[in-house]
Amino acid sequence: MAALAEPSPDGRFGEFGGRFIPESLVPACKELEVAFRAAWADPAFHAEYEGLLRDYGGRPTPVTECRRLSERLGVRVLLKREDLAHTGSHKLNNVIGQSLLTRRMGKPRVIAETGAGQHGVATATACALFGLDCVVYMGEVDVERQELNVFRMQLLGAEVIPVSSGSRTLKDAVNEALRDWVANVETTHYCIGSVMGPHPYPWMVREFQRILGEEARTQCRALLDGRDPDFVVACVGGGSNAAGTFAGFADTSARLVGVEAAGGAAIGHGVPGVVHGMKSYLVQDEVGQVNEAHSISAGLDYPGVGPEHSHLSATGRATYVTAGDAEVLDAFQLLSHTEGIIPALESAHGLAWVVRAAGSDDLPSGSTVLLTLSGRGDKDVAQVRDLL
Amino acid sequence: MNELRRVEPALRAARDAGRKLLVPYVTGGLGDDWCEVVAAVAAAGADAIEVGIPFSDPVMDGPTIQEASMRALDRGATPSSIIAELSEVDAGVPLVVMTYYNIVFRGGHRRIARSLVEHGVAGAIVPDLPLDEFFEWGRAADDAGVETILLAAPTTPDDRLAEICARSHGFVYGVGLMGVTGERTSLAASATTMAKRLKAVTDVPVLIGVGVSTPEQAVEVSAEADGVVVGSALVRRLLDGGGPDAAAEFVGELRSALDGMGTTAP
Ligand SMILES: Cc1ncc(COP(=O)(O)O)c(C=O)c1O
């Protein structure tokens, strides 16, 4: 199978993926797969999806050359600016796609999970645009540290339900959204926010994020006299901004690097497991209880990872590394000082690795790096102020 | 294993004798006396008992069983401790474990299947392992002699329903409503429909669970079904401080109500 191609009919990327869900949800996942296949083969769907992302979402987002940062690090850093997309992150790409599908399937209600709140905000935004009912599940811990995004979602007309079970973060928000979906599947679409969950979500969400990587490849070639960057780097929570980015560069010679949070590093510290409908790397104990993740960044505070990343790691096409909270805070400030861009804490993980690795064998001096800046840091400013 | 300790022969025999089937659910490792609860429930008239092996992320479960699972995990319950303790229980009826797939996957399909058999557990229910992903576990379970009970849902189409019944051993678990486990004030109409649809395609015992909370509801759905699985309503009594006696009292009420149906017996 070519890298970042279609999964097998049973939703596998190599040995990972699949559809490990209660029987009640199997028909809905099959219905979604049929709807997505038909839509993705339909030029009219593409025209509407791309048109909305252009005229409503502000795409294409630019690629910015970071002159001062590059000088400082000794590697040439280009940023793919998803922070400039509407709602402030790459999440809208996926949500516009899934909302159009929801409409095609005739479902009036959308549910979503959110960690940092960016996917929740994007979902609430698209539901406002399409006139859909919207409920967002969010762990209590995240409700507290992403207070402003909670208000944003409410302003957009969504109902935000705090989740008090388990670790009260993203993992538990997914559990609660799945429970809602089991009860309401006939009227409700579950808009999963990353390349995770049962088939077809990991594949579908990657396809809806592919636009990010394809734009970036074209933009890089324009900036680099037709060449591709040596390294393509993105942070990995569930892995959607990374998957979309990598999809644009899979058939180039660029080295693909995914950066997980040290406290939620499924590939870095986990072993294969099955949760939230998919087989993938998972941080868990020796008998299979899922561990709680602990990261400064709500969007990466997740013990699992999308199955395609597990596969890309197993085949060696992409490399996965980790970044810790302290170096992430440094990177957050560094980009703010040197380039006047305040990154999301999630995106700052990618930069933290670039800063650490620059000049080493992992990222030799003089290399060119495309880093996906998956979102803007406004949502994190209050939290960072308290941490500094 | 003794035929009477296997699920399907025991349930078929009871059904053929005109009895409605009762399978209570108890969360394994919930409280020091959970094994005594299992024994008491058996003595009070259960035809088989479903024992939950708690999992950190139980997506098919509502608040009651979530809470029970967390309490059991906090007490240090593990899959092997629960299976080992079960072998000490003299229940006299078949035992079935219910757990989520990651516990089976991480433990190893063959190792878990063998361990169940070695400890006298007859069957397994894995609610997040649908037919399409069943193959690996199904083969290990068949080889070891573990009966795997599959779930059917109100959204399952007819052709798939027949496939599920063909692959299900022990009984078929018909999910009574669209939703997760938990008590409901009345029986969902979907429960009776589910039972009818299953009875039309299979001879395997058909039990309805999820949202069957009271003796009245058990009787109502058993007009069509061969019997019921009752979980949250029992577990809530345990969470509220009830022990073996309270559990036995509730199961006894369910038993008498089902035995009083009379007229529907063949
Ligand atoms: C800005 C930003 N980047 C990254 C992520 C992580 O998600 P993913 O790995 O799917 O891109 C999030 C999630 O909330 C986010 O808000």
Side-chain angles (χ1 to χ4, degrees):
Chain A
M1 188 170 78
L4 292 125
E6 193 176 309
S8 68
D10 60 350
R12 292 296 198 281
F13 304 92
E15 63 175 296
F16 300 103
R19 195 178 268 160
F20 297 87
I21 44 173
E23 174 63 21
S24 306
L25 295 178
V26 171
C29 285
K30 291 187 169 173
E31 177 196 5
L32 180 62
E33 183 186 345
V34 169
F36 172 64
R37 275 184 197 283
W40 213 226
D42 178 358
F45 183 90
H46 277 270
E48 191 170 13
Y49 164 76
E50 281 153 29
L52 278 166
L53 286 179
R54 182 186 62 233
D55 304 332
Y56 181 73
R59 300 206 75 85
T61 59
V63 166
T64 300
E65 170 117 40
C66 295
R67 295 213 161 68
R68 295 187 64 214
L69 181 69
S70 301
E71 207 165 290
R72 181 112 161 215
L73 299 178
V75 295
R76 186 171 175 189
V77 181
L78 307 176
L79 295 181
K80 176 61 174 165
R81 298 289 306 278
E82 293 303 292
D83 59 317
L84 294 177
H86 183 39
T87 73
S89 82
H90 66 294
K91 297 288 182 185
L92 192 73
N93 302 334
N94 168 39
V95 163
I96 289 291
Q98 290 200 47
S99 305
L100 287 170
L101 274 184
T102 305
R103 204 180 58 188
R104 268 172 96 106
M105 292 186 294
K107 292 186 170 181
R109 178 173 180 265
V110 170
I111 56 173
E113 83 294 339
T114 197
Q118 289 303 94
H119 175 59
V121 166
T123 307
T125 298
C127 286
L129 180 66
F130 288 100
L132 299 164
D133 289 339
C134 181
V135 171
V136 179
Y137 290 92
M138 189 170 188
E140 273 180 351
V141 170
D142 297 334
V143 166
E144 210 161 291
R145 61 180 160 176
Q146 299 289 348
E147 208 181 347
L148 217 50
N149 268 344
V150 174
F151 181 62
R152 258 186 209 124
M153 289 183 261
Q154 290 165 339
L155 208 54
L156 291 160
E159 181 188 358
V160 180
I161 302 187
V163 176
S164 59
S165 58
S167 55
R168 298 177 293 133
T169 58
L170 183 53
K171 163 177 93 80
D172 311 282
V174 176
N175 288 341
E176 216 44 47
L178 282 168
R179 292 182 185 116
D180 179 315
W181 204 30
V182 171
N184 299 298
V185 65
E186 277 147 319
T187 58
T188 300
H189 174 64
Y190 180 13
C191 182
I192 297 186
S194 191
V195 286
M196 46 177 265
H199 180 54
Y201 283 97
W203 168 48
M204 176 180 75
V205 176
R206 180 248 282 163
E207 288 302 295
F208 286 148
Q209 292 293 358
R210 170 183 289 279
I211 191 167
L212 187 179
E214 288 185 346
E215 283 174 12
R217 182 183 51 199
T218 306
Q219 292 164 320
C220 283
R221 285 185 179 169
L223 279 165
L224 302 173
D225 299 324
R227 286 184 304 115
D228 296 310
D230 303 310
F231 288 82
V232 170
V233 182
C235 68
V236 175
S240 66
N241 84 89
T245 305
F246 292 174
F249 293 91
D251 57 357
T252 72
S253 60
R255 294 197 47 188
L256 309 177
V257 181
V259 185
E260 298 184 292
I267 296 178
H269 303 149
V271 295
V274 176
V275 79
H276 298 155
M278 61 185 172
K279 185 181 293 179
S280 194
Y281 276 87
L282 177 64
V283 185
Q284 55 182 317
D285 71 11
E286 64 285 353
V287 304
Q289 308 295 356
V290 182
N291 287 352
E292 296 178 4
H294 294 285
S295 168
I296 188 178
S297 130
L300 305 187
D301 215 344
Y302 183 65
V305 67
E308 192 166 28
H309 288 293
S310 293
H311 179 57
L312 290 170
S313 171
T315 61
R317 180 61 190 97
T319 308
Y320 295 83
V321 296
T322 62
D325 289 353
E327 59 186 332
V328 166
L329 272 178
D330 290 344
F332 182 91
Q333 296 170 83
L334 178 67
L335 193 66
S336 305
H337 290 166
T338 56
E339 300 293 336
I341 298 170
I342 301 176
L345 278 173
E346 290 77 18
S347 323
H349 283 72
L351 181 60
W353 178 79
V354 171
V355 170
R356 169 155 41 92
S360 76
D361 289 349
D362 293 338
L363 181 53
S365 297
S367 308
T368 300
V369 181
L370 174 81
L371 171 66
T372 295
L373 195 78
S374 55
R376 65 176 183 231
D378 307 42
K379 69 182 174 58
D380 300 314
V381 167
Q383 187 194 351
V384 169
R385 181 190 55 199
D386 293 345
L387 286 168
L388 291 180
Chain B
M1 196 179 294
N2 179 337
E3 275 297 287
L4 287 177
R5 296 294 174 88
R6 293 184 61 79
V7 184
E8 193 157 331
L11 295 189
R12 278 182 184 271
R15 179 181 65 181
D16 293 348
R19 181 172 157 109
K20 288 294 178 184
L21 307 172
L22 175 59
V23 178
Y25 166 95
V26 176
T27 299
L30 174 64
D32 293 330
D33 57 355
W34 76 270
C35 286
E36 289 146 51
V37 170
V38 171
V41 162
D47 295 290
I49 300 174
E50 179 185 341
V51 174
I53 297 178
F55 177 53
S56 53
D57 295 84
V59 294
M60 256 309 276
D61 287 305
T64 303
I65 292 177
Q66 284 177 48
E67 167 77 20
S69 301
M70 287 308 133
R71 283 205 207 169
L73 288 173
D74 288 345
R75 281 186 67 255
T78 65
S80 50
S81 73
I82 288 171
I83 295 169
E85 286 175 59
L86 265 183
S87 69
E88 306 292 314
V89 181
D90 185 17
V93 298
L95 301 175
V96 169
V97 293
M98 192 292 266
T99 196
Y100 287 83
Y101 182 57
N102 197 47
I103 297 293
V104 175
F105 178 74
R106 183 83 164 112
H109 298 99
R110 292 194 176 276
R111 204 180 64 81
I112 294 277
R114 260 201 319 272
S115 161
L116 292 176
V117 172
E118 280 163 12
H119 291 90
V121 178
I125 301 173
V126 190
D128 58 344
L129 191 66
L131 197 58
D132 323 71
E133 300 287 356
F134 183 70
F135 180 71
E136 236 181 315
W137 164 252
R139 203 172 41 183
D142 287 352
D143 289 351
V146 174
E147 300 170 271
T148 306
I149 293 130
L150 292 181
L151 288 87
T155 45
T156 307
D158 283 330
D159 50 343
R160 189 174 160 89
L161 216 54
E163 272 181 76
I164 288 171
C165 292
R167 198 62 192 81
S168 195
H169 299 306
F171 60 90
V172 186
Y173 192 133
V175 177
L177 50 78
M178 288 306 291
V180 295
T181 60
E183 291 176 84
R184 307 292 198 282
T185 47
S186 61
L187 187 77
S190 54
T192 303
T193 311
M194 184 84 259
K196 277 191 198 159
R197 290 179 62 212
L198 283 167
K199 288 299 290 177
V201 295
T202 189
D203 178 46
V204 176
V206 170
L207 274 72
I208 300 294
V210 182
V212 181
S213 322
T214 64
E216 294 72 29
Q217 293 170 13
V219 166
E220 187 182 343
V221 73
S222 294
E224 298 295 338
D226 294 318
V228 292
V229 179
V230 178
S232 297
L234 174 56
V235 171
R236 196 224 338 132
R237 287 167 164 82
L238 300 171
L239 288 177
D240 288 349
D245 293 344
E249 188 186 332
F250 178 56
V251 170
E253 289 166 17
L254 290 163
R255 179 79 268 160
S256 328
L258 289 171
D259 287 349
M261 289 177 70
T263 51
T264 55

